[in-house]
Amino acid sequence: MRQRIRWGSLVFTFLLLVALVSLPIMVGCAGDDATTTTAGGTETSDTSMAPPEQDKIIIGAARPVSGVNSFFEENAFGPAYKLWVQDVNAAGGINVAGKMLPVEMKVYDDQSDLDTSMRLLTKLMEEDKVDFVFPPTSTAFLFAAAGVANAHNYILMSAEGGATTLEKEMEKGDLPYYFQALSYSNHDQMPAFAEILNEAGAKTAAVVYLDDLHGIEYQAQAAVFLSGAGVEIVSNVAIPGDIKDMSSIIKQIQERNPDVVAFFAYPPQNILAMQTMIQLNYNPKAVLLGPGGSFQFFANIFGPAMEGVMFEGAWSVNSSPEAKAYYDKLADFMGTTDNIDFWGAIIYRAELEFFQQAIEKAGTLDQDKIAEVMRTEHFPTVMSPDTFFTNGIFDVSSYSGQIGQWQNGVAEVIDVGDKRTAAPIYPKPSWPAPTETTAGQ
Amino acid sequence: MNAFRDIFLTGLLLGGIFALVSVGLSLQYGVARVLNVAHGEFIMVGAFITFWMLGSINLNPLVSLVITGPAVFIMGLILHKTLFRRLMDTSPSLDVFEGKSMLASFGLLYVVQNLARIIWGSDVEGYNFLNSTVTAAQIPLNRLVALGFVIVLGVAFYLFLARTRLGKAIRASAQSPTTAELMGVNIHNVLAICFGLGLGLAGIAGSLLSTLFAIQTSIGLGYTVIAMVVVVLGGLGSITGAMIGGVILGLVSSTVTFFQPSLTMIAYYVIFIVLLLSRPKGIMGK
Amino acid sequence: MKTIRMTRNRGITLGLLLIAFLILAFLPQVTSGYVITLLIDILKFAILTVAWVVFSGPSGYMSLATAAFYGLGFYIAAVFSGTFPFPVLVIMAGAVAFVVALGVGALTLRLRGVYFAIFTFALVLLVQNVVLEIERVVTETRGRFVDTVSTEGVYYAIFIVFVLTMLTAVLIRRSRYGLALQSIGEYEEAAAHSGINVVRTKVLTFAVSAIFMGMAGAVIATRRTYIDPYIAFNLNTSFLPVLMAMFGGMTNLAGPVIGAALFTYIGEILLTRFPDLYMLIFGVVLILAILFMPNGVLGLAQRVWRKIRGGRRAPA
Amino acid sequence: MRLLEGEGLTRHFGGLAAVAGIDFHVDQGEILGLIGPNGAGKTTLFNLISAALKPTSGTISYQGSQITGLPPYKICRLGIARTFQTVKIFAHLPAVRNVIVGSLFGTGSRTSGAEALRIADEELEFVELSSLRNVPAGDLTLAAQKRLEVARALATHPTLLLLDEIMAGLTHTEVDEAMDLIARIRARGITVIMIEHVMHAIMNICDRIVVLDFGLKIAEGTPAEVAVDEKVIEVYLGEEI
Amino acid sequence: MLEIDGLSASYGKVQVLWDVSLRVDEGEFVALVGANGAGKTTLLNAVSGVMRPGSGSIAFMGNKVDGFAPNQIVDLGLSHIPESRQVFTDMSVRENLEMGAYPIRAWKSRRNTMKRVFELFPRLEERAGQLARSLSGGEQQMLAMGRGLMSLPKMCMIDEPSNGLAPLVVRDIFRVLKSLHEEGITVLLVEQNVRQTLAVADRAYVLENGHNVLEGPCCDLAQSEHVRKAYLGQ
């Protein structure tokens, strides 16, 4: 019954494993020499006003260069970061205790895979010992990254997603290095949406939501705030991401004839929803679209049909001269206006500007000190002359708006109050007669 | 009654789309014995070629079928002649070949998807095409066109298989490659052509799908999964089976979506698994 | 003569194994951080690949259900995170994966070849979607937070699971079950007519291999502060072990381990050096490996090894 | 004494009856030959006895009790072993391990590894393959593979052995050796049913012969009786013209 | 017309043919007989290119053809009608015949050839539209033979046409074989049905366990003790 095991092969394996293990150690050591030890630790904390010894700031990030999230890296956050790095370096760098340090980004591809993303983030902090890290993309990734970065005492700002569930963790005090920049459904967007509907006199609403984090959270918050504002939710439907036909859903909503239809979903589902409503000639008084609806390309695809469609956001070229200037600069940098996002684009920039000012104010690269500054200080940014964090979350007053609406192909902020750049169109005009092909981009 | 009609019509239209997505896969497996996990990637390629030609030379998507089909067909020919032919020659048995070719197609998935990403980027793209309805029944025109194309393609394909010399050779090869060889059929050419045709159909499907849905370089795998469900429903390798399977899945989808949309995917897989267990050879299987 | 040489060889081998074992066991004492993180990943894939090979290698049934069992373990660790101590979670995960695999195995007896592969593939998607829907309806969100365990703790946990997996794999290979499974893979019919209870052998081995997948899942779940069904039931987790096993070679147990280690390690280098081209290169390498290395790296190494030794004495 | 008895055995494939209502029996200790042209239903009958197939109708009893419907491994453990028309050896396993499969799983009682190995070596010795015990079975000659299959079957300690064309494709000397082997198997007290096309072998070693044609039993008797049976000659040599 | 010299062939490690030589002259009707597993089918497969021979040479009409692909062999005018019929069961009788005419030179004249085949096998014409699976065994054999003729072969290799058929049908089959030969087609017939085979063929080879054992005119062989022994063991 004895079978001879090929011991030789097993030895070979373990030798190989040992070799593999030792290789990264050697590489790791080499890495140590190269990037010195000024990183996020507490080594430099006692001499906070002395300029650091290094000549540049390295910021690492595991980004979705490939995979399902690569859209965001390519069109949303990637350009925002790159433009910022370009701007900072054009101005000589970040002033840390009197020394101008240029910024360099070190980007790894996380393949839109969470395991890989966390591994690479760890590598950036532990092996590459970068000075700062930028977050990964998508809310689930942020949730995971928040813990990992905190465990390493690295500041992690997130404009790339965010859900209110994270707030509970923050309230527990577990995430002192985590800063939430993107607007939340509960503090920011749904209250604003309810206010707008209340002002317009809408009485009933239907909600269609994608059965993922974003959709589930938004429909829950919509229920809270819309009911609070006297808007009754007459229909609430969850859809899967792979949905290929929405006609029966739209028809059922049509039968209940609500004033408002909100789609808390992503571009593929939102495009399908728009097409289906146009095809069925169902024209509610207001339509709200989730992520994607705020992109210029979305408006381009549907052309005149976008008139009066609302979206989660928001900012507008009419928000302020700074916003307009940023718009121009970004469009120039990206070579197109198609992928300008009238929800997030300004927040990413504001967050970076805030961060830069926090570093300069702290006068050190020490994460604790910078975090402390971020928690307490107010800075002017492209988004608002008075931008600040409350309990680790951008204060609602810091945003340039929460709900936008497409008017004549231009994104306008329609929040009730002084952020408003244009009066809401309500009810929205009926769909234009279908035209033949219109190219998207 | 109205609801019933709606469910049926939507299901039928959707079924057409599913059939379109699947027929090519069925052909690739049925004759060339490649369970092509990268099938959906070629749908994506077809969609992007169409989109790109619409943007650059304003070519009507329905016209661009004439280009995407053959272009992807040739890719398929080359792939089979280089990659799968070699795998076939070095595999000791058909089972081994099926396993290896499936894994190789997995590699292909990465290659095609990432090449496409490098060429076309990661944007969500879309355009409005025939976005109106045939008013009486409120049937979306673009879906009707897609269904029409599926029927035309199906009939054309049927005629091709039934009437032409090559078509008969393909059917014969599917039944018994060795005997077909004895008839003078160059089996390697036939297999390559079938693989190519399968991909070509994926390309055409892509062109048509781009008129209906938002496209992105990462959409492929989703369509592969649908195609697999449909092909197993209809019986691996059966063309008519793929058509029928598509319609069945369409009807299932429209029914479930009508009552509880979030259960749609679960319904797909439950049906898929139950069917695999009870009738592994599919509805059309013997 | 022959026996003496065998024993000496074996002594050296065992010694080397012991050294490798000790190095791996004490590594966290001398180094930390990224090396350990990477090793955790390598060990994770080594476990999944070896567990996959235990069943699919000899039996010839290509299972793509790895992600389902791994995900179950992952999810159990998340759901009961904080309720039970870490070791209990890992054992629970193994037990649940075992039971579920028994059921799945019993269901799929009729399926052979590509049908079995497709079934297991669909299984992962089904479980993923069902959990997704349950989470939506019951917890009204999508994911869960997990209590994290220190990197070192995770490393030792995964290391122990790895050692268990290897021991079990060696035991199965050397036991009557290994022989039975191998005969089933060679000729199921002949195996049955030689008195092997084909059904029991297949189902039991399938379920045993699932234990380790589940355990690996439970350990790795504690690496994530947050998980959701997409992360837990990821199709890549099903495909990668197959590719790693092919890449490493399946003629003996060293192959899968080498495959997992090289694959992960090379992947990491490519990933950090060529983020833009990584997946493309990955695909090309995969296709080339399938084309030109039918017996994987191990097969290649053995061929080269034999050539080197061939000059001196005939291969054993 | 009746060892095995089949009554009204029928098996359909689609609409075709491969075996149609056959009654047969085999007595303890005899060698029964099963002959007939290709497609006569011989192998189907073997498959029914060894439970590779379930009969459409009819029953099989073994040592006085019903065994119809039992799974193959149980049939094997009850003492009915078989070989296959196209050899089904475990090609990548060494010869000895092929045989161990039989002795380890097929004997009906739990065998220890050492015991199984001892039996396997004995059976290899018996079929004269000891010298090739460590050679992968796939590398053996056809004749050796057929012997190996016999050894594997013998290792299960059968009472009844079904041999399906173990001489097909063998050379003259190999056929003679195979005949000798069967004689020695009988000497061990094992009952044998054999399907064979090599006529002189069948005629020389069988006690009794059953002739099948188109799924029906057309003749039965001693070799001498069968050899002069008009129906059999017609089936074998074709009609006189 | 066909000349095989010193042919050896194996399936994997199992050698099936040992140094077999065989010759068929133009217009001849040659039979190849031998017990099951003697290697007859392997020999035909090696000639038609379905399997690659190990060593030896095969020449057809003076050209060396070993290593050719099956379609090249068919194009040269050598048709192989395989064992156990192998008709395309999911295709109609007509389509099966059309498949036989697959080589381009035969395809063009397929309608005329089909008429000739229908004359030879009137039953096939009656069933032209039916699926081949619905035919009886004898009809399927006729279809297989008709299909083999559709490629307008100069020579036919026919493998066990009487296999599994009732005596009456077998008689039909042999009648057709005879008339084929009379039409000028060279025939190499592989059969187990020794008496009838030797009655129609001119010359025969006996193959045993992959070796040539006997060769000669049929009338001689029919009387041969050896043949009788090989088949009935007397």
Side-chain angles (χ1 to χ4, degrees):
Chain A
M1 200 48 242
R2 299 232 158 252
Q3 186 196 6
R4 239 190 80 225
I5 296 191
R6 301 205 178 114
W7 293 99
S9 318
L10 278 182
V11 175
F12 186 69
T13 313
F14 278 94
L15 286 180
L16 206 94
L17 260 179
V18 171
L20 285 178
V21 168
S22 48
L23 248 166
I25 299 176
M26 288 185 274
V27 175
C29 294
D32 281 349
D33 297 342
T35 38
T36 66
T37 50
T38 39
T42 47
E43 297 95 353
T44 53
S45 56
D46 42 331
T47 54
S48 60
M49 282 310 158
E53 287 166 22
Q54 66 204 75
D55 353 304
K56 62 182 175 186
I57 295 174
I58 296 174
I59 304 177
R63 311 280 317 156
V65 176
S66 64
V68 287
N69 293 335
S70 57
F71 168 76
F72 298 103
E73 170 60 11
E74 203 169 300
N75 300 314
F77 314 114
Y81 291 138
K82 285 177 198 146
L83 176 59
W84 175 71
V85 170
Q86 183 184 304
D87 287 350
V88 166
N89 291 341
I94 297 180
N95 182 345
V96 184
K99 185 171 178 183
M100 295 298 278
L101 296 177
V103 174
E104 186 185 306
M105 271 193 79
K106 184 167 198 167
V107 174
Y108 293 150
D109 177 18
D110 71 12
Q111 304 166 254
S112 307
D113 175 64
L114 195 129
D115 271 16
T116 312
S117 184
M118 292 313 110
R119 198 173 69 233
L120 292 174
L121 187 63
T122 312
K123 175 178 160 69
L124 284 165
M125 295 185 290
E126 289 186 354
E127 198 201 335
D128 302 345
K129 297 194 165 41
V130 294
D131 299 305
F132 299 105
V133 289
F134 280 163
T137 286
S138 158
T139 304
F141 286 59
L142 273 180
F143 282 13
V148 175
N150 263 275
H152 289 83
N153 302 338
Y154 268 78
I155 292 170
L156 192 78
M157 296 179 299
S158 81
E160 317 219 354
T164 52
T165 19
L166 199 58
E167 217 178 325
K168 296 187 190 87
E169 302 291 309
M170 293 166 73
E171 279 163 7
K172 280 198 262 172
D174 289 349
L175 301 173
Y177 295 94
Y178 182 76
F179 294 90
Q180 169 69 36
L182 196 67
S183 16
Y184 266 171
S185 58
N186 57 349
H187 299 289
D188 310 322
Q189 289 179 330
M190 285 305 107
F193 186 46
E195 262 181 34
I196 294 165
L197 295 185
N198 198 20
E199 180 195 66
K203 291 279 166 258
T204 49
V207 170
V208 177
Y209 67 99
L210 186 63
D211 58 359
D212 88 331
L213 214 51
H214 179 89
I216 295 170
E217 176 180 313
Y218 269 71
Q219 63 88 21
Q221 297 304 329
V224 173
F225 289 99
L226 263 53
S227 324
V231 180
E232 186 200 352
I233 295 186
V234 295
S235 164
N236 192 11
V237 191
I239 55 167
D242 267 11
I243 192 156
K244 294 274 177 273
D245 187 287
M246 299 213 337
S247 58
S248 65
I249 298 168
I250 303 285
K251 278 180 188 168
Q252 286 176 47
I253 291 174
Q254 197 170 8
E255 276 164 26
R256 305 203 175 150
N257 196 25
D259 296 330
V260 184
V261 185
F263 294 94
F264 300 123
Y266 293 131
Q269 302 86 28
N270 289 336
I271 287 178
L272 188 61
M274 283 286 289
Q275 282 182 348
T276 313
M277 282 192 295
I278 296 170
Q279 283 162 356
L280 298 177
N281 198 22
Y282 170 53
N283 192 47
K285 290 182 187 149
V287 172
L288 175 77
L289 297 179
S294 52
F295 275 82
Q296 186 72 47
F297 79 81
F298 210 100
N300 295 352
I301 289 175
F302 287 99
M306 276 309 267
E307 186 68 11
V309 173
M310 300 178 193
F311 57 88
E312 295 168 7
W315 62 286
S316 167
V317 287
N318 302 323
S319 285
S320 66
E322 291 83 2
K324 172 75 173 108
Y326 177 56
Y327 173 86
D328 292 337
K329 202 196 265 181
L330 191 60
D332 188 46
F333 183 75
M334 290 168 75
T336 167
T337 60
D338 273 345
N339 289 318
I340 291 184
D341 172 11
F342 288 99
W343 177 359
I346 203 162
I347 304 176
Y348 317 145
R349 178 67 176 200
E351 164 198 62
L352 294 168
E353 290 179 358
F354 189 95
F355 186 52
Q356 180 183 357
Q357 294 174 75
I359 298 172
E360 288 177 346
K361 175 106 186 177
T364 167
L365 299 180
D366 184 278
Q367 306 271 339
D368 291 300
K369 299 219 161 95
I370 298 168
E372 188 53 33
V373 171
M374 289 174 72
R375 269 192 288 276
T376 49
E377 292 292 330
H378 293 220
F379 294 111
T381 65
V382 62
M383 194 160 74
S384 159
D386 183 25
T387 316
F388 61 99
F389 283 98
T390 306
N391 298 325
I393 301 171
F394 257 159
D395 192 86
V396 64
S397 66
S398 303
Y399 295 107
S400 44
Q402 301 303 338
I403 300 293
Q405 186 176 46
W406 290 100
Q407 299 185 2
N408 285 322
V410 176
E412 301 282 4
V413 177
I414 55 166
D415 291 18
V416 177
D418 57 2
K419 302 276 167 73
R420 176 174 283 179
T421 59
I425 302 175
Y426 183 91
K428 70 178 276 301
S430 51
W431 306 113
T435 51
E436 68 284 13
T437 321
T438 49
Q441 307 199 345
Chain B
M1 211 46 224
N2 244 357
F4 181 76
R5 192 203 62 185
D6 278 353
I7 291 174
F8 181 75
L9 277 179
T10 346
L12 199 65
L13 291 169
L14 204 53
I17 294 163
F18 289 163
L20 186 66
V21 168
S22 321
V23 169
L25 185 71
S26 195
L27 193 66
Q28 285 162 45
Y29 182 75
V31 188
R33 293 281 149 183
V34 179
L35 191 66
N36 184 9
V37 185
H39 182 72
E41 306 310 319
F42 292 92
I43 294 180
M44 177 269 291
V45 168
F48 268 91
I49 295 179
T50 304
F51 180 79
W52 172 67
M53 287 195 299
L54 176 70
S56 56
I57 54 173
N58 204 20
L59 190 72
N60 186 313
L62 294 184
V63 179
S64 70
L65 294 181
V66 185
I67 298 168
T68 52
V72 182
F73 169 76
I74 290 167
M75 284 183 216
L77 274 189
I78 295 171
L79 273 175
H80 195 276
K81 288 269 175 195
T82 53
L83 174 58
F84 293 106
R85 166 81 196 269
R86 204 193 136 86
L87 274 182
M88 189 165 244
D89 289 346
T90 53
S91 297
S93 73
L94 195 61
D95 273 352
V96 174
F97 172 72
E98 284 186 9
K100 279 191 176 180
S101 61
M102 184 173 152
L103 289 174
S105 73
F106 200 70
L108 208 55
L109 181 156
Y110 285 121
V111 174
V112 176
Q113 187 181 355
N114 285 283
L115 271 180
R117 180 178 55 78
I118 290 165
I119 298 170
W120 289 301
S122 303
D123 295 9
V124 178
E125 314 275 13
Y127 55 90
N128 248 328
F129 180 75
L130 300 177
N131 201 6
S132 55
T133 48
V134 177
T135 43
Q138 287 191 314
I139 295 173
L141 194 55
N142 48 10
R143 288 187 181 224
L144 202 63
V145 168
L147 183 66
F149 258 93
V150 176
I151 294 170
V152 169
L153 272 176
V155 170
F157 212 72
Y158 174 80
L159 289 177
F160 165 71
L161 287 178
R163 297 284 164 81
T164 64
R165 177 167 171 265
L166 183 62
K168 285 171 188 160
I170 288 174
R171 283 161 63 212
S173 305
Q175 283 182 46
S176 167
T178 317
T179 318
E181 274 193 287
L182 288 181
M183 303 297 113
V185 174
N186 183 334
I187 194 78
H188 290 295
N189 281 345
V190 166
L191 294 185
I193 287 171
C194 281
F195 186 80
L197 276 176
L199 282 199
L201 284 170
I204 290 175
S207 291
L208 286 168
L209 287 177
S210 73
T211 67
L212 301 171
F213 304 115
I215 58 173
Q216 217 177 337
T217 41
S218 57
I219 54 172
L221 192 61
Y223 285 114
T224 305
V225 171
I226 289 179
M228 271 197 203
V229 177
V230 168
V231 163
V232 169
L233 271 176
L236 277 177
S238 158
I239 305 291
T240 29
M243 297 272 184
I244 294 168
V247 172
I248 291 174
L249 195 71
L251 290 172
V252 167
S253 171
S254 65
T255 313
V256 178
T257 307
F258 183 84
F259 294 106
Q260 178 60 327
S262 64
L263 292 179
T264 317
M265 300 314 287
I266 296 180
Y268 287 1
Y269 300 127
V270 167
I271 288 181
F272 183 53
I273 280 182
V274 167
L275 208 92
L276 255 181
L277 291 175
S278 56
R279 283 197 67 112
K281 305 265 179 221
I283 297 165
M284 297 295 287
K286 286 152 245 161
Chain C
M1 247 315 271
K2 200 174 169 194
T3 15
I4 293 167
R5 202 172 62 211
M6 285 260 302
T7 358
R8 204 185 57 204
N9 263 352
R10 202 175 237 190
I12 295 170
T13 335
L14 277 174
L16 284 171
L17 274 176
L18 196 70
I19 292 170
F21 176 86
L22 289 175
I23 290 178
L24 283 173
F26 288 104
L27 207 61
Q29 313 302 329
V30 282
T31 178
S32 69
Y34 177 66
V35 175
I36 300 298
T37 313
L38 184 61
L39 259 181
I40 290 175
D41 238 56
I42 288 178
L43 288 176
K44 171 188 99 175
F45 278 118
I47 293 168
L48 294 182
T49 310
V50 170
W52 181 85
V53 167
V54 163
F55 173 72
S56 294
S59 75
Y61 281 74
M62 187 161 126
S63 162
L64 292 177
T66 310
F69 304 126
Y70 174 83
L72 271 177
F74 209 88
Y75 229 79
I76 281 162
V79 170
F80 296 104
S81 164
T83 327
F84 296 111
F86 182 47
V88 177
L89 286 181
V90 176
I91 293 166
M92 247 171 77
V96 172
F98 176 76
V99 172
V100 173
L102 274 186
V104 171
L107 270 177
T108 53
L109 288 175
R110 296 180 51 190
L111 302 174
R112 291 193 189 183
V114 74
Y115 289 95
F116 183 79
I118 299 178
F119 176 90
T120 47
F121 173 81
L123 184 77
V124 176
L125 292 170
L126 177 69
V127 176
Q128 181 195 65
N129 279 277
V130 167
V131 174
L132 209 59
E133 184 67 8
I134 293 173
E135 290 281 34
R136 185 183 73 82
V137 175
V138 177
T139 62
E140 295 193 333
T141 178
R142 204 180 76 173
R144 290 165 178 276
F145 285 92
V146 186
D147 286 357
T148 47
V149 174
S150 73
T151 305
E152 211 168 285
V154 172
Y155 175 77
Y156 279 115
I158 202 97
F159 179 59
I160 290 168
V161 177
F162 172 70
V163 171
L164 284 179
T165 313
M166 288 307 285
L167 285 177
T168 314
V170 170
L171 279 178
I172 287 186
R173 285 220 156 194
R174 300 183 64 192
S175 76
R176 53 176 66 217
Y177 267 102
L179 184 59
L181 208 60
Q182 220 173 338
S183 0
I184 291 171
E186 298 252 351
Y187 252 124
E188 196 160 330
E189 205 184 342
H193 287 292
S194 303
I196 292 172
N197 187 338
V198 172
V199 172
R200 204 180 66 181
T201 309
K202 280 194 305 194
V203 173
L204 214 56
T205 327
F206 184 60
V208 167
S209 76
I211 295 178
F212 301 104
M213 298 172 181
M215 284 178 141
V219 175
I220 296 298
T222 60
R223 294 282 293 154
R224 315 273 162 263
T225 38
Y226 172 84
I227 69 144
D228 72 17
Y230 287 118
I231 297 164
F233 304 96
N234 186 337
L235 273 180
N236 273 340
T237 315
S238 282
F239 277 108
L240 285 176
V242 185
L243 302 175
M244 287 171 176
M246 297 262 310
F247 188 70
M250 291 195 283
T251 43
N252 67 34
L253 286 175
V257 179
I258 294 175
L262 275 183
F263 223 74
T264 317
Y265 186 72
I266 294 173
E268 190 81 3
I269 291 175
L270 288 177
L271 201 59
T272 47
R273 296 282 147 80
F274 312 99
D276 214 38
L277 295 176
Y278 165 65
M279 292 305 275
L280 188 64
I281 299 172
F282 176 83
V284 172
V285 168
L286 192 67
I287 291 172
L288 292 179
I290 293 169
L291 271 179
F292 299 107
M293 300 197 312
N295 291 319
V297 176
L298 192 68
L300 204 70
Q302 279 172 347
R303 265 216 312 262
V304 175
W305 182 239
R306 231 171 261 157
K307 231 174 219 167
I308 296 170
R309 281 191 355 167
R312 275 176 286 158
R313 59 184 154 114
Chain D
M1 199 195 91
R2 292 278 150 97
L3 181 65
L4 184 83
E5 188 155 13
E7 272 178 54
L9 277 183
T10 303
R11 170 70 198 201
H12 291 281
F13 290 114
L16 224 69
V19 167
I22 289 185
D23 297 322
F24 75 98
H25 71 272
V26 59
D27 291 329
Q28 179 82 49
E30 79 173 332
I31 297 184
L32 175 70
L34 202 53
I35 64 170
N38 275 345
K42 301 172 306 252
T43 296
T44 306
L45 190 60
F46 263 29
N47 285 339
L48 291 174
I49 299 172
S50 63
L53 291 173
K54 287 197 167 43
T56 313
S57 66
T59 58
I60 305 170
S61 57
Y62 171 70
Q63 292 179 329
S65 50
Q66 274 283 332
I67 57 163
T68 341
L70 290 180
Y73 76 95
K74 284 200 174 148
I75 297 284
C76 172
R77 290 178 189 178
L78 281 173
I80 303 181
R82 70 170 293 180
T83 67
F84 297 88
Q85 187 178 5
T86 48
V87 282
K88 291 186 175 158
I89 42 131
F90 310 129
H92 294 94
L93 296 181
V96 63
R97 287 180 73 75
N98 267 267
V99 186
I100 286 178
V101 170
S103 56
L104 199 57
F105 298 99
T107 56
S109 57
R110 195 171 168 89
T111 325
S112 75
E115 176 70 4
L117 178 62
R118 192 186 58 73
I119 298 174
D121 272 327
E122 264 175 35
E123 298 300 349
L124 275 181
E125 179 83 50
F126 183 76
V127 300
E128 292 160 357
L129 282 180
S130 287
S131 57
L132 299 171
R133 72 189 290 276
N134 294 323
V135 177
D139 292 350
L140 300 175
T141 63
L142 180 66
Q145 289 183 345
K146 295 214 164 203
R147 280 170 175 270
L148 184 62
E149 249 195 336
V150 173
R152 186 178 64 194
L154 286 174
T156 68
H157 287 163
T159 314
L160 174 64
L161 183 61
L162 312 177
L163 300 175
D164 197 346
E165 295 199 26
I166 61 161
M167 297 173 193
L170 303 192
T171 64
H172 262 306
T173 29
E174 285 166 351
V175 168
D176 290 343
E177 284 163 8
M179 282 168 67
D180 170 60
L181 179 65
I182 294 171
R184 286 188 294 125
I185 291 172
R186 185 230 289 267
R188 283 168 62 170
I190 297 170
T191 311
V192 175
I193 311 182
M194 56 188 287
I195 296 176
E196 204 48 75
H197 281 286
V198 180
M199 283 304 158
H200 77 270
I202 274 262
M203 294 294 169
N204 285 330
I205 53 177
C206 289
D207 300 313
R208 201 157 53 84
I209 291 175
V210 167
V211 189
L212 300 186
D213 193 25
F214 288 104
L216 296 169
K217 186 163 86 177
I218 57 164
E220 184 176 356
T222 62
E225 288 164 6
V226 167
V228 295
D229 190 306
E230 257 316 301
K231 263 181 170 165
V232 177
I233 292 175
E234 192 176 296
V235 162
Y236 266 84
L237 293 183
E239 271 176 288
E240 292 279 5
I241 301 166
Chain E
M1 183 168 243
L2 178 70
E3 192 145 13
I4 299 172
D5 197 29
L7 191 73
S8 296
S10 336
Y11 284 112
K13 306 225 167 193
V14 183
Q15 188 160 4
V16 185
L17 293 178
W18 280 272
D19 194 22
V20 173
S21 299
L22 179 149
R23 178 178 49 80
V24 182
D25 291 330
E26 183 145 16
E28 242 189 336
F29 190 133
V30 174
L32 182 61
V33 296
N36 250 11
K40 298 165 299 192
T41 299
T42 309
L43 182 79
L44 296 199
N45 283 344
V47 173
S48 63
V50 173
M51 77 172 292
R52 270 173 194 276
S55 62
S57 74
I58 305 167
F60 181 62
M61 309 218 309
N63 304 317
K64 239 174 97 72
V65 297
D66 36 293
F68 275 36
N71 59 312
Q72 291 171 299
I73 304 279
V74 180
D75 283 344
L76 286 174
L78 177 55
S79 173
H80 176 180
I81 298 163
E83 195 183 4
S84 56
R85 273 96 62 191
Q86 306 287 353
V87 295
F88 300 113
T89 48
D90 291 341
M91 295 168 87
S92 71
V93 168
R94 189 184 302 280
E95 286 174 328
N96 264 279
L97 292 176
E98 285 174 342
M99 272 314 295
Y102 189 80
I104 280 287
R105 67 183 160 76
W107 186 256
K108 288 177 188 137
S109 52
R110 66 188 185 281
R111 292 205 171 76
N112 287 329
T113 325
M114 206 180 295
K115 263 183 220 147
R116 276 183 47 216
V117 168
F118 283 152
E119 280 165 25
L120 215 51
F121 305 100
R123 194 88 63 85
L124 292 183
E125 186 162 24
E126 290 163 28
R127 315 229 151 170
Q130 286 183 11
L131 285 188
R133 67 165 68 251
S134 68
L135 301 186
S136 71
E139 289 164 342
Q140 287 195 9
Q141 183 60 49
M142 290 176 189
L143 178 56
M145 288 166 65
R147 190 180 59 180
L149 294 175
M150 288 294 293
S151 63
L152 300 172
K154 299 185 181 72
M155 175 176 166
C156 265
M157 303 190 293
I158 309 172
D159 199 353
E160 307 237 0
S162 75
N163 188 355
L165 300 181
L168 257 170
V169 185
V170 173
R171 198 185 298 171
D172 265 3
I173 299 282
F174 274 91
R175 187 182 48 73
V176 171
L177 284 175
K178 217 167 166 181
S179 62
L180 272 188
H181 180 230
E182 279 156 11
E183 279 193 29
I185 294 174
T186 310
V187 176
L188 175 62
L189 174 68
V190 163
E191 256 298 349
Q192 283 197 73
N193 193 325
V194 186
R195 275 191 198 163
Q196 270 170 322
T197 305
L198 296 185
V200 291
D202 304 327
R203 213 154 49 76
Y205 289 82
V206 178
L207 212 57
E208 204 174 298
N209 300 314
H211 299 271
N212 280 106
V213 284
L214 275 179
E215 187 222 322
C218 282
C219 39
D220 296 352
L221 285 177
Q223 308 305 319
S224 156
E225 257 317 292
H226 192 102
V227 172
R228 200 168 168 77
K229 210 169 161 185
Y231 278 84
L232 281 179
Q234 287 167 338

